Amino acid sequence: MNLRTALWNLLGFGIFPLWLAAGGADWLCHRRTHIERTSGSRESLLHLALFLEIAVPALLALWLEITALVLLLMALAVLAHMLTSWWDTSFAQPRRHIAPIEQLVHSWLEMLPLFALLIVSLLHASEFSEPRWRLAWRGSAVPIPWRLAAMGWFVI
């Protein structure tokens, strides 16, 4: 297996499932602290924003060719996710207890998208020396069943 394949496998079979697992763990933490009675719908809306901010770069990677423009959009989404995460925690902390385990889970939720962006940037390093500022549909690099399976996780 070459390095390129290993990095794509790390993204698809490592980082993405870990991010989903961390999201599930975060949901369990929120359930335990009854956010519906403490920080309420505003925190839930922040979580929806966080989810969408990460869904965008994941869907871009699945459906579009990775160009300089796509990398920029992905980086902006990851930055927005980090800022929204800070806002979410700042909002929730005075309203409910954020246990150490939830803080650890948040660390994973914040860093895994950054790691994914760094790996995708490494895989497409040529976009930094010869940038293509366009959007184009991805060819057959990501099989359709994988794309649909990944999108199914976003629906669940």
Side-chain angles (χ1 to χ4, degrees):
M1 174 184 321
N2 64 31
L3 180 60
R4 187 172 190 77
T5 302
L7 288 173
W8 276 113
N9 285 340
L10 177 61
L11 281 171
F13 300 114
I15 290 178
F16 187 62
L18 279 173
W19 178 71
L20 292 172
D26 195 41
W27 179 82
L28 289 172
C29 290
H30 296 154
R31 184 173 176 200
R32 193 186 78 209
T33 60
H34 303 285
I35 69 166
E36 69 278 4
R37 291 194 307 254
T38 55
S39 51
S41 60
R42 184 159 172 206
E43 186 177 1
S44 293
L45 287 173
L46 287 168
H47 292 164
L48 181 59
L50 288 163
F51 176 77
L52 292 173
E53 289 161 355
I54 291 306
V56 167
L59 293 172
L60 288 173
L62 287 170
W63 292 97
L64 297 178
E65 199 177 300
I66 306 295
T67 63
L69 179 56
V70 170
L71 286 171
L72 176 63
L73 293 172
M74 293 169 92
L76 290 173
V78 169
L79 178 61
H81 181 267
M82 294 176 107
L83 292 172
T84 305
S85 179
W86 173 78
W87 181 17
D88 172 50
T89 304
S90 297
F91 173 78
Q93 194 277 326
R95 291 165 178 79
R96 66 178 181 85
H97 175 68
I98 301 175
I101 187 68
E102 185 176 353
Q103 294 174 32
L104 179 65
V105 167
H106 286 178
S107 297
W108 284 86
L109 287 169
E110 292 164 17
M111 289 294 104
L112 287 169
L114 181 61
F115 295 155
L117 176 64
L118 292 174
I119 291 171
V120 171
S121 296
L122 284 172
L123 287 165
H124 299 280
S126 63
E127 290 299 323
F128 294 99
S129 59
E130 297 176 24
R132 295 174 297 154
W133 300 101
R134 64 184 173 97
L135 297 176
W137 291 110
R138 182 182 275 280
S140 60
V142 178
I144 295 291
W146 285 33
R147 293 179 193 183
L148 296 176
M151 289 173 55
W153 280 109
F154 287 120
V155 174
I156 294 176

